[in-house]
Amino acid sequence: MVISSFDDWRQEARRLVLAGVAPHEADWQGNTGLLDGLLDATGSGDPPRTLRIPRALPELLASAARFRAEDRWALLYRVLWRVVTGDRSAILAGDSDGSELHRRIKAVRREAHHLHAFLRFRPCQATEVEFIAWHEPAHEVLDLGAEHFIGRMGRTRWAIATPDGAACFDGHALHYRHPCPPALTRLAKVVDERGDALWQTYYQSTFNPARLNEKAMRGHMPVRFWQHLPEARLIPQMVSEARAGQQRLAQAADVGERDGKAVLIARERAQPARPTTSALQDCQACAIWRNATCAVPGEGPQQASIMLIGEQPGDLEDLAGRPFVGPAGQVLNDALLAAGLERDALYLTNAVKHFKWEPRGGSTSRGATRLHATPKPAEIQACRPWLDEELNRIRPRVVVALGRTALASVLKMHDPQRIRLADFGGQAIRHEHFWLLVAPHPAAILRSRGDAEVRLAELVAALEQANRLAHEA
Ligand code: URA
């Protein structure tokens, strides 16, 4: 039997407990078939004589069941089994199962709050729905959060579409649909921007640049929701404006204190002597920082034997503060999979740490789409100390330069445009303390017309070669 809901689990768990099947004998992983077999057998545990459980337990278990995790049914069963066999510490926060249970309940509550806070209805053209929202909750909280909107939206007909299910209010009653009908998904994903200006104006009016705390902001408003929030498009610009304002104030104060040394101070700031991640966030060695949300540091294990270097963070990386999480990151993930490499085992970074962009169509209006702009040689050079620091700290055996900018930075060549990638293709070069391989950049693969498959194959081949070199004695 497939366990697809808490009710399914509850029925099966009850039968297993009564059959004396201990948690280690029940395999809930696949959620299919295995339980039926087990039910015919008798477990080795002592079945409890009665099923007495604390009154609060079903609610705790039901809440934790909303947390998406492979072991969700197994954890619930372990807790249930321990409680019915007399060990009530299983639901206490000081117990290992209990603390995991409470952590999940808390995460579910938080996700229900996110549904209220970060869901945005947009006007919809369809006759049966006037307002529609797309939301991607991390856990199963749609039915926990959807009712909240009945009071908010009056008698209007609205729908919330999610990757799993939908909540539809027809003006009188709320109905849940599982799975979400494809037509509703399509409607929800077609963004009708009428009304966005209102959100943006509201957000701008509540944004206080003097109290900007980017870390807290990312904590309260997880970046994964930003792409569906109209006001999020304003954040990078408001953040950089706020930073520039702070910077002006700080400089004015410094200059006031140290008469005549302003140039020196600026130079000290521009060339941090010993790079650290927090210093990276303060880097102003070139002008790109002004329009970026944050500097994106490299990520991966400190002992990684392979380092991949891209050009610079893109739009989503700039919002998330992590490298290769956008569309180019997807291409890279596919290539890594094809090459049999685990992303988590590699160190991923970029030659340039800030996202350089320009508004689409040259407009500077707020909320404009941010288009990637190629970093200039001087900007690549200004960022080079950060890459050096990473190369010295990680000391990879193999470096894969993804595209020209990365290659120019590694080889300390001034102008990437003078490099012909074909001259390096398929050959490992011994450079400093590592092997250097050159591969097409995943974003170039995305953009390429006609030869995307060939270039993807080149990327995969370079990654496979990196893997071989990293494991050679
Ligand atoms: N994302 C990155 O982090 N780097 C790139 O070069 C492109 C996308």
Side-chain angles (χ1 to χ4, degrees), residues 130 208 286 327 427:
E130 293 164 84
N208 180 351
C286 71
Q427 291 191 19

Side-chain angles (χ1 to χ4, degrees), residues 14 33 37 43-44 50 61 210 223 263 372 409 460:
R14 190 181 159 78
S44 62
T50 52
L61 296 178
V223 171
V263 175
H372 164 275
S409 184
V460 173

Side-chain angles (χ1 to χ4, degrees), residues 50-309:
T50 52
L51 273 194
R52 298 190 58 188
I53 55 173
R55 196 182 289 229
L57 185 62
E59 207 177 307
L60 290 178
L61 296 178
S63 182
R66 293 173 179 277
F67 187 97
R68 290 197 176 105
E70 269 198 10
D71 67 340
R72 74 170 120 177
W73 307 125
L75 174 72
L76 299 192
Y77 189 65
R78 224 166 35 243
V79 171
L80 177 68
W81 174 265
R82 287 180 56 193
V83 170
V84 295
T85 53
D87 177 7
R88 291 196 170 201
S89 61
I91 50 174
L92 300 181
D95 177 90
S96 66
D97 287 335
S99 79
E100 184 55 21
L101 189 76
H102 288 284
R103 187 186 73 78
R104 292 184 183 191
I105 292 170
K106 206 163 147 198
V108 164
R109 255 190 244 129
R110 192 166 154 71
E111 203 55 18
H113 160 74
H114 288 154
L115 185 92
H116 295 165
F118 302 128
L119 181 137
R120 300 286 178 266
F121 283 106
R122 288 176 150 125
C124 180
Q125 310 291 353
T127 41
E128 67 280 18
V129 184
E130 293 164 84
F131 294 95
I132 193 157
W134 175 255
H135 191 70
E136 295 179 15
H139 306 301
E140 291 170 6
V141 295
L142 182 60
D143 58 317
L144 270 189
E147 278 188 20
H148 163 86
F149 296 102
I150 298 178
R152 296 286 170 113
M153 303 289 288
R155 291 262 168 238
T156 53
R157 297 183 304 278
W158 51 263
I160 302 171
T162 77
D164 305 306
C168 308
F169 187 73
D170 60 11
H172 302 282
L174 188 58
H175 307 277
Y176 291 100
R177 316 274 296 272
H178 282 279
C180 179
L184 216 50
T185 303
R186 274 197 300 277
L187 268 182
K189 287 191 162 180
V190 175
V191 174
D192 179 340
E193 294 186 345
R194 280 176 297 153
D196 282 9
L198 196 59
W199 273 113
Q200 292 175 346
T201 309
Y202 168 73
Y203 190 73
Q204 274 167 337
S205 71
T206 58
F207 183 80
N208 180 351
R211 304 197 58 188
L212 173 67
N213 178 338
E214 291 167 55
K215 204 165 158 208
M217 182 170 79
R218 268 173 240 273
H220 294 151
M221 192 173 177
V223 171
R224 68 194 153 100
F225 295 118
W226 288 21
Q227 57 176 313
H228 301 299
L229 297 178
E231 66 271 30
R233 271 175 269 149
L234 304 179
I235 294 175
Q237 190 158 349
M238 292 198 305
V239 167
S240 61
E241 280 173 9
R243 284 217 217 111
Q246 269 176 4
Q247 178 61 17
R248 271 198 301 277
L249 290 178
Q251 273 180 356
D254 275 358
V255 171
E257 277 165 26
R258 304 192 197 184
D259 202 20
K261 292 197 178 157
V263 175
L264 188 60
I265 297 164
R267 228 183 265 141
E268 275 170 10
R269 288 216 175 119
Q271 295 176 355
R274 197 172 159 276
T276 64
T277 308
S278 65
L280 175 64
Q281 294 308 330
D282 297 333
C283 182
Q284 296 169 12
C286 71
I288 308 183
W289 69 274
R290 286 182 194 285
N291 293 327
T293 313
C294 62
V296 177
E299 73 174 22
Q302 301 301 301
Q303 285 81 29
S305 52
I306 302 177
M307 178 184 283
L308 307 189
I309 307 176

Side-chain angles (χ1 to χ4, degrees), residues 4 154 160 175 219 260 263 298 324 330 359 369 371 423 430 468:
S4 57
I160 302 171
H175 307 277
V263 175
F324 288 105
Q330 283 300 329
T369 304
L371 279 191
D423 293 344
R430 192 68 198 167
R468 278 194 301 276

